[in-house]
Amino acid sequence: MIGQMAYYMKGLEKLPRPRPIELYIQTEQGDLHEEVMLFLISNSNSVGGFERLAPDASLSDGLFDVLILKKCNLAEFIRVVSLALRGEHMNDPNIIYMKRRSIQVTSPDYVQINLDGEFGGTLPCLFTNLPQHLQIFVDETGQSTYKTPAINLMKSPWKNKIGVEDNHESDEQ
């Protein structure tokens, strides 16, 4: 809950002085030049505790979900945020939504990037979705291994996500 509250507090801190930012967005399907209040690039439907920001998002489609709030006044901004809390913002005329594999964002303004609540540098930036880039291992026994010394992890019954046994004992011979 503290992490989610931090998102809300940071947002409330910015509310008295929202200002639009001029962005140039280049994607494989075309370019966009817009003054925006907010832009989000996500790979899931949940961002900062908002569970329905990108209702059609999929972790496995290889595409980012890009949500842009166009330049608007404070009253419109609050209205769209309240719609977003209910997942009813996607058809609002102030919202631009797209799914893209790669996004390059530039701005003549100084724009900081926020990566899950942390400073992520400044624009310009190129975001590229790397589908199936991480290999995930699962302990199929369901036993917690955090107390197991690292040397014993190599002999544990781990399998990678495609079901191939990861047997390191043959490496010791």
Side-chain angles (χ1 to χ4, degrees), residues 22-161:
E22 183 179 5
L23 291 183
Y24 296 93
I25 300 174
Q26 296 175 306
T27 74
E28 66 274 12
Q29 294 181 6
D31 299 346
L32 175 71
H33 174 222
E34 190 80 42
E35 284 191 282
V36 307
M37 303 303 284
L38 176 72
F39 76 98
L40 300 169
I41 300 172
S42 177
N43 198 29
S44 77
N45 65 324
S46 175
V47 176
F50 289 83
E51 297 296 325
R52 295 180 230 154
L53 274 182
D56 296 330
S58 169
L59 292 172
S60 61
D61 65 3
L63 300 171
F64 286 122
D65 293 85
V66 182
L67 190 70
I68 299 167
L69 175 58
K70 294 193 264 184
K71 179 181 176 180
C72 59
N73 62 38
L74 183 58
E76 290 172 318
F77 184 88
I78 292 170
R79 183 185 58 76
V80 173
V81 168
S82 69
L83 289 172
L85 286 170
R86 298 188 306 266
E88 299 172 1
H89 60 291
M90 297 301 284
N91 294 321
D92 190 277
N94 289 308
I95 294 291
I96 298 172
Y97 174 74
M98 60 183 103
K99 293 173 86 69
R100 298 291 187 269
R101 186 169 316 284
S102 178
I103 303 112
Q104 183 167 355
V105 184
T106 61
S107 177
D109 299 328
Y110 175 79
V111 179
Q112 291 184 349
I113 300 169
N114 179 312
L115 298 175
D116 200 25
E118 300 295 329
F119 176 70
T122 60
L123 292 182
C125 195
L126 173 64
F127 302 88
T128 303
N129 192 306
L130 302 172
Q132 300 179 2
H133 197 70
L134 296 177
Q135 190 171 19
I136 299 175
F137 293 85
V138 176
D139 178 358
E140 290 188 342
T141 66
Q143 297 175 350
S144 174
T145 57
Y146 73 93
K147 293 181 183 177
T148 305
I151 193 71
N152 291 333
L153 288 177
M154 300 310 254
K155 298 179 182 177
S156 68
W158 293 77
K159 288 188 178 183
N160 66 24
K161 71 175 186 163

